[in-house]
Amino acid sequence: MNDKGLTHVRADGTAHMVDVSAKPVTARSASARGSVLVSPAVIEALGAGSVPKGDALAVARVAGIQAAKRTPELVPLAHPVAVHAVEVDLVVQANRVDISATVRTADRTGIEMEALTCVTVAALTLVDMVKAIDKHTRITDIRVSAKSGGRSGDWTEDA
Protein backbone atom coordinates (compact mmCIF):
# COMPACT_ATOMS: atom_id res chain seq x y z
CA MET A 1 0.00 0.00 0.00
CA ASN A 2 1.39 3.43 -0.84
CA ASP A 3 1.29 6.49 1.41
CA LYS A 4 -2.15 7.49 0.05
CA GLY A 5 -3.64 4.12 1.03
CA LEU A 6 -4.15 2.92 -2.55
CA THR A 7 -3.41 -0.79 -2.76
CA HIS A 8 -3.09 -1.00 -6.56
CA VAL A 9 -0.71 1.95 -6.92
CA ARG A 10 2.99 1.84 -6.05
CA ALA A 11 4.76 4.74 -4.33
CA ASP A 12 6.00 5.91 -7.75
CA GLY A 13 2.40 6.11 -9.04
CA THR A 14 2.47 3.04 -11.28
CA ALA A 15 -0.32 0.48 -11.17
CA HIS A 16 0.37 -3.08 -10.08
CA MET A 17 -1.46 -6.23 -9.09
CA VAL A 18 -1.61 -6.65 -5.32
CA ASP A 19 0.04 -9.77 -3.88
CA VAL A 20 -2.71 -11.75 -2.12
CA SER A 21 -0.69 -14.94 -1.64
CA ALA A 22 -0.44 -14.49 2.15
CA LYS A 23 -4.19 -13.95 2.61
CA PRO A 24 -6.25 -16.88 3.85
CA VAL A 25 -8.73 -18.64 1.60
CA THR A 26 -12.25 -17.79 2.75
CA ALA A 27 -15.76 -18.25 1.38
CA ARG A 28 -16.81 -15.08 -0.42
CA SER A 29 -19.75 -13.92 -2.48
CA ALA A 30 -20.77 -10.78 -4.29
CA SER A 31 -24.01 -9.68 -5.88
CA ALA A 32 -24.60 -7.03 -8.52
CA ARG A 33 -27.60 -5.69 -10.34
CA GLY A 34 -28.57 -3.41 -13.19
CA SER A 35 -31.29 -2.80 -15.74
CA VAL A 36 -31.84 -2.55 -19.46
CA LEU A 37 -34.51 -0.02 -20.39
CA VAL A 38 -36.50 -1.21 -23.40
CA SER A 39 -39.56 -0.36 -25.46
CA PRO A 40 -43.02 -1.95 -25.12
CA ALA A 41 -42.27 -3.82 -28.37
CA VAL A 42 -39.31 -5.55 -26.71
CA ILE A 43 -41.38 -6.44 -23.64
CA GLU A 44 -44.02 -7.93 -25.94
CA ALA A 45 -41.45 -9.90 -27.97
CA LEU A 46 -39.78 -11.24 -24.82
CA GLY A 47 -43.14 -12.37 -23.45
CA ALA A 48 -44.19 -13.97 -26.73
CA GLY A 49 -40.83 -15.59 -27.36
CA SER A 50 -40.62 -13.81 -30.71
CA VAL A 51 -37.25 -12.05 -30.49
CA PRO A 52 -35.73 -12.54 -33.98
CA LYS A 53 -32.36 -13.77 -32.64
CA GLY A 54 -33.93 -16.34 -30.31
CA ASP A 55 -34.32 -16.73 -26.56
CA ALA A 56 -32.78 -13.42 -25.50
CA LEU A 57 -33.08 -14.02 -21.77
CA ALA A 58 -31.44 -17.45 -21.90
CA VAL A 59 -28.60 -16.23 -24.10
CA ALA A 60 -28.00 -13.22 -21.83
CA ARG A 61 -27.95 -15.49 -18.76
CA VAL A 62 -25.33 -17.80 -20.29
CA ALA A 63 -23.28 -14.82 -21.47
CA GLY A 64 -23.27 -13.44 -17.93
CA ILE A 65 -22.06 -16.74 -16.50
CA GLN A 66 -19.30 -16.95 -19.09
CA ALA A 67 -18.27 -13.35 -18.41
CA ALA A 68 -17.95 -13.93 -14.67
CA LYS A 69 -15.47 -16.72 -15.37
CA ARG A 70 -13.43 -14.52 -17.74
CA THR A 71 -13.26 -11.32 -15.69
CA PRO A 72 -9.45 -11.29 -15.23
CA GLU A 73 -9.07 -11.25 -19.02
CA LEU A 74 -11.09 -8.02 -19.17
CA VAL A 75 -10.20 -6.17 -15.96
CA PRO A 76 -6.40 -5.81 -15.90
CA LEU A 77 -5.78 -5.84 -12.14
CA ALA A 78 -8.45 -8.38 -11.22
CA HIS A 79 -7.01 -11.59 -9.78
CA PRO A 80 -7.94 -14.90 -11.35
CA VAL A 81 -10.21 -16.53 -8.77
CA ALA A 82 -11.94 -19.87 -8.77
CA VAL A 83 -15.55 -19.13 -9.63
CA HIS A 84 -17.55 -21.80 -7.83
CA ALA A 85 -21.09 -20.65 -8.57
CA VAL A 86 -22.87 -18.02 -10.65
CA GLU A 87 -26.57 -17.26 -10.40
CA VAL A 88 -28.05 -14.85 -12.95
CA ASP A 89 -31.67 -13.72 -13.02
CA LEU A 90 -33.35 -11.59 -15.67
CA VAL A 91 -36.79 -10.29 -14.72
CA VAL A 92 -38.98 -8.59 -17.31
CA GLN A 93 -40.76 -5.53 -15.92
CA ALA A 94 -43.14 -3.06 -17.62
CA ASN A 95 -40.39 -1.00 -19.30
CA ARG A 96 -37.13 -2.77 -18.50
CA VAL A 97 -35.35 -6.01 -17.78
CA ASP A 98 -33.77 -6.17 -14.33
CA ILE A 99 -30.61 -8.25 -14.13
CA SER A 100 -29.14 -9.59 -10.90
CA ALA A 101 -26.22 -11.90 -10.31
CA THR A 102 -24.50 -13.57 -7.38
CA VAL A 103 -21.04 -15.07 -7.74
CA ARG A 104 -19.42 -17.33 -5.12
CA THR A 105 -15.88 -18.51 -4.47
CA ALA A 106 -13.53 -19.75 -1.80
CA ASP A 107 -10.39 -17.75 -2.50
CA ARG A 108 -8.01 -15.07 -1.24
CA THR A 109 -9.69 -12.00 -2.70
CA GLY A 110 -13.14 -10.64 -3.40
CA ILE A 111 -15.37 -11.43 -6.31
CA GLU A 112 -17.17 -8.11 -6.85
CA MET A 113 -15.62 -7.57 -10.28
CA GLU A 114 -16.94 -10.94 -11.42
CA ALA A 115 -20.47 -10.05 -10.30
CA LEU A 116 -20.29 -6.65 -12.04
CA THR A 117 -18.87 -8.18 -15.21
CA CYS A 118 -21.59 -10.81 -15.18
CA VAL A 119 -24.40 -8.24 -15.03
CA THR A 120 -22.72 -5.95 -17.56
CA VAL A 121 -22.17 -8.64 -20.18
CA ALA A 122 -25.67 -10.05 -19.64
CA ALA A 123 -27.00 -6.53 -20.27
CA LEU A 124 -24.83 -6.06 -23.37
CA THR A 125 -26.00 -9.40 -24.70
CA LEU A 126 -29.64 -8.52 -24.13
CA VAL A 127 -29.13 -5.26 -26.03
CA ASP A 128 -27.55 -7.21 -28.90
CA MET A 129 -30.42 -9.68 -28.94
CA VAL A 130 -33.17 -7.01 -29.10
CA LYS A 131 -31.51 -4.23 -31.10
CA ALA A 132 -33.48 -5.17 -34.22
CA ILE A 133 -36.66 -4.36 -32.30
CA ASP A 134 -35.45 -1.34 -30.30
CA LYS A 135 -32.39 0.69 -31.22
CA HIS A 136 -32.85 2.91 -28.15
CA THR A 137 -32.26 0.40 -25.35
CA ARG A 138 -30.27 1.76 -22.44
CA ILE A 139 -28.17 -0.04 -19.83
CA THR A 140 -28.44 1.63 -16.44
CA ASP A 141 -27.69 1.44 -12.73
CA ILE A 142 -25.12 -1.39 -12.69
CA ARG A 143 -23.69 -1.68 -9.19
CA VAL A 144 -22.53 -4.04 -6.47
CA SER A 145 -25.53 -4.76 -4.29
CA ALA A 146 -23.96 -7.03 -1.66
CA LYS A 147 -20.77 -8.80 -0.66
CA SER A 148 -19.76 -11.25 2.01
CA GLY A 149 -16.56 -12.75 3.30
CA GLY A 150 -13.04 -11.49 3.50
CA ARG A 151 -11.40 -9.05 5.89
CA SER A 152 -13.90 -6.23 5.29
CA GLY A 153 -16.85 -8.47 6.15
CA ASP A 154 -20.40 -8.34 4.87
CA TRP A 155 -22.13 -5.42 3.16
CA THR A 156 -25.43 -4.77 1.40
CA GLU A 157 -26.53 -1.67 -0.47
CA ASP A 158 -29.75 -1.55 1.57
CA ALA A 159 -27.95 -1.41 4.94
Side-chain angles (χ1 to χ4, degrees):
M1 190 175 299
N2 69 15
D3 61 352
K4 293 181 183 170
L6 302 173
T7 58
H8 286 75
V9 179
R10 295 184 190 132
D12 67 358
T14 58
H16 74 106
M17 180 182 266
V18 173
D19 182 356
V20 297
S21 60
K23 292 174 74 175
V25 171
T26 60
R28 299 162 183 266
S29 71
S31 298
R33 61 175 85 171
S35 297
V36 179
L37 305 180
V38 297
S39 67
V42 169
I43 299 299
E44 183 179 329
L46 290 170
S50 61
V51 174
K53 286 189 171 185
D55 188 342
L57 301 176
V59 173
R61 183 177 302 106
V62 171
I65 293 167
Q66 174 117 8
K69 297 187 294 183
R70 299 186 72 146
T71 298
E73 295 175 32
L74 302 169
V75 181
L77 300 181
H79 290 85
V81 296
V83 173
H84 293 136
V86 181
E87 297 172 22
V88 185
D89 292 306
L90 293 96
V91 178
V92 179
Q93 305 289 356
N95 65 341
R96 69 186 188 277
V97 177
D98 290 334
I99 303 169
S100 62
T102 299
V103 183
R104 291 185 182 81
T105 189
D107 218 312
R108 291 178 166 83
T109 190
I111 200 153
E112 295 91 343
M113 293 299 101
E114 286 75 6
L116 287 167
T117 302
C118 177
V119 169
T120 301
V121 172
L124 289 168
T125 301
L126 183 61
V127 169
D128 180 54
M129 295 292 290
V130 303
K131 68 185 178 190
I133 302 168
D134 181 1
K135 295 182 184 353
H136 302 286
T137 59
R138 188 170 70 204
I139 298 170
T140 185
D141 296 326
I142 296 174
R143 72 231 182 245
V144 174
S145 56
K147 70 166 283 302
S148 68
R151 188 181 61 203
S152 64
D154 299 353
W155 173 85
T156 64
E157 71 177 334
D158 300 327

